[in-house]
Amino acid sequence: MSKKSTVHAKLPTKWGHFTIYALEKSCDGKEHVALAMGELDQEEPLLIRIHSECLTGDAFSSLRCDCGPQLEAAMKKISEVGRGMIVYLRQEGRGIGLVNKIRAYALQDEGQDTVEANINLGFQADHRSFEVAAEILTSLNVSKVKLMTNNPRKVEALQEANIDVVERVPLQYGRNPHNEDYLSTKHGKLGHFLDQ
């Protein structure tokens, strides 16, 4: 991806002034965005968060997941250091889409966990790809990062794409009584680094 395939504009937020980059063409054909603050192409590693879209958590403050609080915490951390990026991927519902995510919620209401629900709908436990995140970082000249994540797959995906992950920064926010089982499943079945 070349810089010609990005458009950008200023985006003031309650955590400070970001620049939003919209990617017109990506390897998966979807429209993704990156929110950046400060200089990107310095030698110093860039603090980043790869965040998959979660309409229910990010926009509606759902307590079924920890997505919204993680996104807010990441933006706040970037604001505090004055430099960083959120790579926001259009991969709703761990990659299965919004309608299937609601179907998975219904199965969870009947007692299945998040992994069982996805599999019973005919998907992988985690259907996402993080290849496009590496593509976005490369297009914006970011090659060395401190990655805010609890998901080992994100670290591996960036390393495989020759992005130097110099540090994994834990991001554990949003635990509540409604998502205890969800977080336990992410830790036990998906290998996320979460305090139990």
Side-chain angles (χ1 to χ4, degrees), residues 134 138 142-144 155-165:
T138 301
V142 176
S143 60
K144 191 183 297 184
V155 176
E156 293 163 8
L158 293 189
Q159 289 173 334
E160 287 172 7
N162 296 316
I163 304 288
D164 186 8
V165 181

Coordinates of all heavy atoms in Angstrom, one line a residue, residues 134 138 142-144 155-165:
A134 N -0.5 -4.7 9.8 CA 0.9 -4.6 9.4 C 1.0 -3.7 8.1 O 1.9 -2.9 8.0 CB 1.5 -5.9 9.2
T138 N 3.0 -0.2 7.9 CA 4.0 0.0 6.9 C 3.7 1.2 6.0 O 4.6 1.9 5.6 CB 4.2 -1.3 6.0 OG1 4.5 -2.4 6.9 CG2 5.3 -1.2 5.0
V142 N 5.7 3.1 9.9 CA 5.9 2.7 11.3 C 6.5 1.3 11.2 O 5.9 0.4 10.7 CB 4.6 2.7 12.1 CG1 4.8 2.1 13.5 CG2 4.0 4.1 12.1
S143 N 7.7 1.1 11.8 CA 8.4 -0.2 11.8 C 8.8 -0.7 13.1 O 9.2 -1.9 13.2 CB 9.6 -0.1 10.9 OG 10.5 0.9 11.4
K144 N 8.6 0.1 14.2 CA 9.0 -0.3 15.5 C 7.9 0.1 16.5 O 7.6 1.3 16.5 CB 10.3 0.3 15.9 CG 11.0 -0.2 17.1 CD 12.3 0.5 17.5 CE 13.3 0.3 16.4 NZ 14.6 1.0 16.8
V155 N 0.8 -9.9 18.4 CA 2.2 -9.8 18.4 C 2.9 -10.6 17.3 O 3.7 -10.1 16.5 CB 2.8 -10.2 19.8 CG1 4.3 -10.2 19.8 CG2 2.2 -9.4 20.9
E156 N 2.4 -11.8 17.2 CA 3.0 -12.7 16.2 C 2.7 -12.2 14.7 O 3.6 -12.3 13.9 CB 2.3 -14.1 16.3 CG 2.7 -14.8 17.6 CD 1.8 -16.0 17.9 OE1 0.9 -16.4 17.0 OE2 1.9 -16.6 19.0
A157 N 1.5 -11.7 14.5 CA 1.2 -11.2 13.1 C 2.1 -10.0 12.7 O 2.6 -10.0 11.6 CB -0.2 -10.7 13.1
L158 N 2.4 -9.1 13.7 CA 3.3 -8.0 13.4 C 4.7 -8.5 13.2 O 5.4 -8.0 12.3 CB 3.2 -6.9 14.4 CG 1.9 -6.2 14.6 CD1 2.1 -5.0 15.5 CD2 1.4 -5.7 13.2
Q159 N 5.2 -9.4 14.0 CA 6.5 -9.9 13.9 C 6.7 -10.6 12.6 O 7.8 -10.4 11.9 CB 6.9 -10.8 15.1 CG 7.0 -10.0 16.4 CD 7.2 -10.9 17.6 OE1 6.8 -12.1 17.6 NE2 7.8 -10.4 18.6
E160 N 5.7 -11.4 12.2 CA 5.8 -12.1 10.9 C 5.9 -11.1 9.7 O 6.4 -11.4 8.6 CB 4.6 -13.0 10.7 CG 4.7 -14.2 11.6 CD 3.4 -15.1 11.6 OE1 2.5 -14.8 10.8 OE2 3.3 -16.0 12.4
A161 N 5.4 -9.9 9.9 CA 5.4 -8.9 8.8 C 6.6 -7.9 9.0 O 6.6 -6.9 8.4 CB 4.1 -8.1 8.9
N162 N 7.5 -8.3 9.8 CA 8.8 -7.6 10.0 C 8.5 -6.2 10.7 O 9.3 -5.3 10.4 CB 9.5 -7.4 8.7 CG 10.0 -8.7 8.1 OD1 10.5 -9.5 8.9 ND2 9.8 -8.9 6.8
I163 N 7.5 -6.1 11.5 CA 7.3 -5.0 12.4 C 8.0 -5.4 13.7 O 7.7 -6.4 14.3 CB 5.8 -4.6 12.6 CG1 5.1 -4.4 11.3 CG2 5.7 -3.5 13.5 CD1 5.4 -3.1 10.6
D164 N 8.9 -4.5 14.2 CA 9.6 -4.8 15.4 C 8.7 -4.5 16.6 O 8.5 -3.3 16.9 CB 10.9 -4.0 15.4 CG 11.8 -4.4 16.6 OD1 11.5 -5.3 17.3 OD2 12.8 -3.7 16.7
V165 N 8.3 -5.5 17.3 CA 7.5 -5.3 18.5 C 8.5 -5.4 19.7 O 8.9 -6.4 20.2 CB 6.4 -6.4 18.7 CG1 5.6 -6.1 20.0 CG2 5.5 -6.4 17.5

